[in-house]
C-alpha cells in the first residue's frame, strides 16, 4: 500500500538574481591596475608639447577608468551586501557589516586618491567577502585573480 | 501528517524529497524558530514549508533556511502571514 503525503513547496519563484563577488573582484582589479599605471606613467615634461599632451591624455584616461571601475566595484559590493546576505549570516560572520563598510569606503578612497596601498586593501576586503560569500553557499571556491 | 519536501529552500535542515512529520498547528503555541507548513498568502493551492523568524502584531515572518537568497520565496517576498494560514508544525 502506498503511503500518501502532503507536498509542501520549498521552492524559489521569487525575483531571482545571480550573485557572485567576481563582479566586484574584476572591478577592484581594474582599479588596482589603473592605480599602478598612473603611478608608473612617466611625466615627459612640458618641453615637447605633443609628448606632454599625450601624457595628459593617457593619465586622464587612466583616472577616468579608475573612477568608473571604483564606482562599479562599490555598486557590486552593495548589491551583495543588501540583496544576498540575510540576518542569519551575521551569526556566523559577526564582522560582515564592517567588512562591507570598509570595502565600500575603500572604493571611495580609491576614487579620490592614487593609492596603491588602498587599492591592495580593497582587494584584501574583496577576498574576505569572496570567502564569506562562498562559505554561506556551502561551496569551496578558490580565490583567483585575472591579473 | 506526513509531508514531502519539494525543493531546497529549507536546506540543510530539510532537503528535497525528505518526508517530515508535522502536527496540526492547532495543538501548538506558535513560536519563533519553529518549522511550519503554511498556506501561500497569494497562491491558496500552495503549501509552503518555512521557519518562523519572528512573530508580532502584524503577523508571522517566514524564512527559508537556505542562505542562498535565490533558493527561498518567503516573507521577504510576500510579507508576513496570518497565524490562521499556519497548517502544521514540524515534529522532529
Amino acid at each position: 500500500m502506498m503511503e500518501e503525503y502532503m507536498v509542501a513547496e520549498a521552492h524559489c519563484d521569487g525575483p531571482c538574481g545571480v550573485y557572485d563577488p567576481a563582479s566586484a573582484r574584476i572591478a577592484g582589479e581594474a582599479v588596482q591596475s589603473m592605480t599602478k599605471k598612473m603611478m608608473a606613467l612617466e611625466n615627459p615634461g612640458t618641453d615637447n608639447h605633443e609628448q606632454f599632451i599625450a601624457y595628459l591624455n593617457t593619465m586622464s584616461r587612466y583616472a577616468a577608468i579608475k573612477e568608473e571601475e571604483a564606482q562599479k566595484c562599490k555598486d557590486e559590493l552593495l548589491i551583495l551586501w543588501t540583496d544576498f546576505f540575510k540576518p542569519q549570516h551575521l551569526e556566523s560572520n559577526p564582522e560582515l557589516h564592517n567588512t562591507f563598510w570598509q570595502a565600500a569606503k575603500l572604493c571611495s578612497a580609491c576614487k579620490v586618491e592614487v593609492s596603491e596601498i588602498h587599492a591592495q586593501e580593497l582587494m584584501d576586503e574583496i577576498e574576505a567577502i569572496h570567502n564569506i560569500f562562498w562559505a554561506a553557499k556551502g561551496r569551496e571556491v578558490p580565490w583567483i585573480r585575472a591579473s | 501528517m506526513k509531508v514531502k519536501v519539494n525543493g531546497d529552500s529549507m536546506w540543510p535542515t530539510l532537503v528535497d524529497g525528505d518526508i517530515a512529520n508535522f502536527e496540526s498547528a492547532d495543538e501548538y503555541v506558535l513560536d519563533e524558530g519553529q518549522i511550519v507548513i503554511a498556506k501561500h498568502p497569494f497562491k491558496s493551492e500552495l503549501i509552503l514549508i518555512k521557519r518562523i523568524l519572528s512573530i508580532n502584531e502584524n503577523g508571522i515572518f517566514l524564512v527559508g533556511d537556505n542562505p542562498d537568497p535565490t533558493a527561498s520565496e518567503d516573507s521577504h517576498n510576500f510579507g508576513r502571514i496570518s497565524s490562521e494560514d499556519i497548517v502544521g508544525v514540524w515534529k522532529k
Side-chain angles (χ1 to χ4, degrees):
Chain A
M1 178 179 171
M2 285 188 66
E3 198 167 9
E4 291 190 357
Y5 308 113
M6 176 190 291
V7 175
E9 299 297 330
H11 264 305
C12 158
D13 60 356
C16 290
V18 177
Y19 298 91
D20 192 330
S23 304
R25 189 259 301 163
I26 292 168
E29 285 193 63
V31 170
Q32 189 172 41
S33 173
M34 289 300 104
T35 301
K36 288 179 178 176
K37 286 178 182 291
M38 290 175 79
M39 296 295 286
L41 189 62
E42 194 169 336
N43 184 344
T46 57
D47 292 344
N48 185 316
H49 185 66
E50 284 188 4
Q51 283 185 358
F52 186 61
I53 291 298
Y55 164 78
L56 289 179
N57 182 57
T58 302
M59 184 64 86
S60 301
R61 295 189 67 212
Y62 288 170
I65 294 169
K66 179 172 70 69
E67 182 95 6
E68 182 181 332
E69 294 294 329
Q71 184 60 47
K72 192 186 297 181
C73 186
K74 186 194 280 187
D75 292 342
E76 295 291 347
L77 290 171
L78 295 183
I79 288 169
L80 281 179
W81 189 8
T82 57
D83 293 359
F84 174 77
F85 285 101
K86 290 183 174 181
Q88 65 260 36
H89 294 123
L90 277 173
E91 296 171 11
S92 52
N93 299 285
E95 286 298 308
L96 182 72
H97 287 338
N98 192 50
T99 301
F100 271 99
W101 188 60
Q102 292 298 336
K105 300 293 276 183
L106 283 164
C107 289
S108 300
C110 288
K111 276 206 297 184
V112 174
E113 306 163 354
V114 185
S115 168
E116 289 190 80
I117 292 173
H118 282 157
Q120 182 56 51
E121 287 178 354
L122 173 60
M123 291 307 300
D124 292 342
E125 295 291 349
I126 294 171
E127 183 176 359
I129 289 165
H130 165 97
N131 292 330
I132 294 170
F133 175 87
W134 289 112
K137 289 176 76 77
R139 290 173 56 183
E140 287 188 21
V141 176
W143 168 252
I144 58 164
R145 291 185 53 130
S147 56
Chain B
M1 68 192 97
K2 287 186 182 296
V3 172
K4 185 175 183 180
V5 178
N6 192 13
D8 288 318
S9 77
M10 291 305 293
W11 178 91
T13 313
L14 293 168
V15 301
D16 186 34
D18 273 357
I19 307 295
N21 285 313
F22 282 75
E23 291 188 345
S24 170
D26 295 338
E27 299 172 23
Y28 281 83
V29 176
L30 296 177
D31 198 4
E32 293 169 1
Q34 288 172 333
I35 291 177
V36 297
I37 49 175
K39 295 175 188 171
H40 192 294
F42 306 130
K43 303 168 189 171
S44 56
E45 75 281 8
L46 277 188
I47 297 294
L48 304 171
I49 178 166
K50 302 292 170 192
R51 188 183 292 277
I52 297 177
L53 179 68
S54 66
I55 302 174
N56 66 21
E57 66 277 9
N58 295 317
I60 296 172
F61 198 98
L62 299 178
V63 294
D65 278 5
N66 194 323
D68 183 346
T70 65
S72 177
E73 187 196 18
D74 53 34
S75 287
H76 290 99
N77 308 103
F78 51 67
R80 291 180 181 271
I81 70 165
S82 164
S83 61
E84 294 175 359
D85 288 332
I86 303 291
V87 176
V89 177
W90 186 35
K91 181 187 175 188
K92 288 185 183 177

